[in-house]
Amino acid sequence: MPDLHDRMASRLDRLTTEIVTGCAADVPFYRGLPAAALDGPVRDSVSAVLGLLLRMLRDPGPLRPTDLTWVVELSARRARDHLPLEAALAAYLIGARAWWRTVTGVAGPDELAVAGARLLDGLAAVMPAVVLAHLQAQEDLHSESARSRRELLAALLHGGPFQTLAQDARLEIGRRHTVLMVRFSPRPPDRLVQVALDAHAGTPVLVDHVDGVVLLPDGVDAEALLASLHEALQCTVLAGIAGAATPAAIPAAAAEAREVLDLVGRLGRGSGLYHFDDVLVEYQLARPGPGLHRLAAKLDPLGGHPYLLETLRSFVRHGHNRRQAALELHIHRNTLDYRLHRIATMTGLDPAVPADARVLAAALTAADLLRGAA
């Protein structure tokens, strides 16, 4: 339809302006763009698509893959500029409506059916290619963003320069941070962990999923975060925590959080968040030297009596409270007293005597540490 082609060609510039204006008015993403972007990249994209539709009025037959190259490239560029796919599709619908309104104003009755078919054929060829290019560009962006965040976290953990990496990752690094060393059981997919962390923090969280390092910005409640992770991921979460007052302090905080996590793991502690102050005694007991083995040996006489060891653990765990220990063990108070007396007789250390009780508690910790190291 050469005549319709010529009539539409004369209106192409005005039609392009109408579509760009419509996108800026009706689509929030375009509404937020500066005028230079609307008059530049956005207008170029609209012109490229309209140029294809115009060609289809003149040349019968489907579009060839090579005809779509420029349109797809422009779409990929817009995706790399973080154009949401839904905004891109909305823009195509705005453009299609504007094109059809113009066609119906200049086409004769015998031309409308063919013009409508050509418009649908054009959209059928262009939109899937654009969606594919958009999704691929977004995937590339995601991979690039993930790489930038990994490099940024590595720099912070090693005390290296990070400002340029933070700009590349589009993240602002504040002054204070909280470092977590996290262990999941069972381990959920990394993607789900990242989504759960970002959702709770309300901002992208730097994570080393292999090493279990989580760098939280200031203001995120770590206790509430662990509860959220437990609920969202349906797994137990064990974590060591340390604070960093400045970015330069992050490496030392990470080392402290790692030691805490390793220690509570060796002790067989349950899920929860542990600070260094929570395991000060255990930390000191875990230092190399003969004292650890000598302490653990205090319990050797109980080795053949697991129920006595269980009783001692419960008694220590409940702060030497007989009533609570008896309730946990489901035994009578008299039975508990009998067992404590047997422990005193066999070990020479009376759990009812404060000085002896401290030694027995330390011996339990030493035994747990040695078992965890085995």
Side-chain angles (χ1 to χ4, degrees):
M1 297 182 290
D3 291 343
L4 182 57
H5 169 276
D6 293 342
R7 276 173 263 153
M8 288 297 294
S10 65
R11 291 166 172 77
L12 210 60
D13 189 63
R14 179 168 54 84
L15 181 57
T16 300
T17 300
E18 178 186 342
I19 294 171
V20 172
T21 302
C23 290
D26 297 339
V27 183
F29 176 84
Y30 289 103
R31 193 181 306 137
L33 292 178
L38 292 171
D39 292 338
V42 176
R43 189 178 185 89
D44 290 344
S45 298
V46 173
S47 295
V49 176
L50 293 181
L52 287 180
L53 294 176
L54 191 63
R55 275 186 50 193
M56 294 183 74
L57 293 178
R58 183 189 63 200
D59 303 328
L63 291 172
R64 298 163 299 177
T66 53
D67 296 328
L68 301 173
T69 302
W70 180 235
V71 172
V72 169
E73 171 58 23
L74 287 173
S75 296
R77 289 184 192 175
R78 301 302 295 135
R80 287 192 288 271
D81 290 336
H82 302 279
L83 167 68
L85 180 57
E86 60 271 22
L89 296 179
Y92 271 91
L93 293 177
I94 290 171
R97 292 192 190 100
W99 172 268
W100 185 243
R101 281 197 303 269
T102 304
V103 166
T104 56
V106 299
D110 57 333
E111 296 173 315
L112 283 176
V114 177
R118 295 284 170 84
L119 172 60
L120 292 176
D121 289 344
L123 292 176
V126 170
M127 292 187 72
V130 166
V131 169
L132 183 61
H134 203 98
L135 292 176
Q136 182 62 56
Q138 286 184 329
E139 185 176 334
D140 292 344
L141 273 176
H142 178 75
S143 299
E144 183 178 336
S145 176
R147 177 187 56 78
S148 297
R149 292 177 189 176
R150 286 195 300 270
E151 292 178 352
L152 173 58
L153 180 58
L156 290 166
L157 290 173
H158 290 88
F162 62 87
Q163 289 81 359
T164 301
L165 293 171
Q167 292 175 359
D168 293 342
R170 297 174 178 265
L171 290 178
E172 182 177 345
I173 301 301
R175 181 172 179 81
R176 300 183 62 86
H177 292 83
T178 299
V179 182
L180 299 181
M181 286 289 176
V182 183
R183 187 177 298 161
F184 299 99
S185 181
R187 179 174 171 175
D190 295 346
R191 177 181 57 82
L192 293 183
V193 174
Q194 187 71 60
V195 169
L197 286 168
D198 293 349
H200 183 88
T203 186
V205 175
L206 294 176
V207 185
D208 182 337
H209 293 284
V210 175
D211 212 25
V213 187
V214 178
L215 186 63
L216 295 177
D218 190 29
V220 178
D221 186 331
E223 288 278 6
L225 172 64
L226 251 65
S228 176
L229 290 176
H230 171 70
E231 181 179 355
L233 303 175
Q234 294 297 296
C235 63
T236 61
V237 189
L238 186 67
I241 182 173
T246 66
I250 289 175
E256 179 179 311
R258 186 188 303 280
E259 285 209 69
V260 172
L261 178 61
D262 289 344
L263 185 56
V264 295
R266 288 172 61 188
L267 291 168
R269 296 287 177 86
S271 61
L273 186 66
Y274 295 88
H275 297 75
F276 190 74
D277 285 353
D278 297 327
V279 289
L280 277 177
V281 173
E282 293 86 347
Y283 175 83
Q284 195 57 44
L285 286 172
R287 298 305 88 194
L292 194 65
H293 290 273
R294 292 187 65 175
L295 265 176
K298 298 291 185 181
L299 302 178
D300 285 351
L302 306 180
H305 306 275
Y307 69 97
L308 292 180
L309 276 172
E310 181 187 17
T311 299
L312 180 59
R313 284 187 183 281
S314 180
F315 186 63
V316 170
R317 182 163 52 246
H318 289 290
H320 308 143
N321 185 300
R322 283 176 162 78
R323 178 178 176 277
Q324 291 182 4
L327 286 173
E328 182 185 56
L329 295 168
H330 304 290
I331 60 176
H332 194 273
R333 280 277 299 274
N334 291 340
T335 303
L336 178 72
D337 289 340
Y338 170 74
R339 291 184 182 181
L340 294 177
H341 177 71
R342 287 205 64 194
I343 291 170
T345 301
M346 296 173 70
T347 64
L349 297 166
D350 189 347
V353 176
D356 289 354
R358 286 194 294 271
V359 175
L360 286 169
L364 285 171
T365 298
D368 289 338
L369 289 169
L370 290 173
R371 185 173 60 251

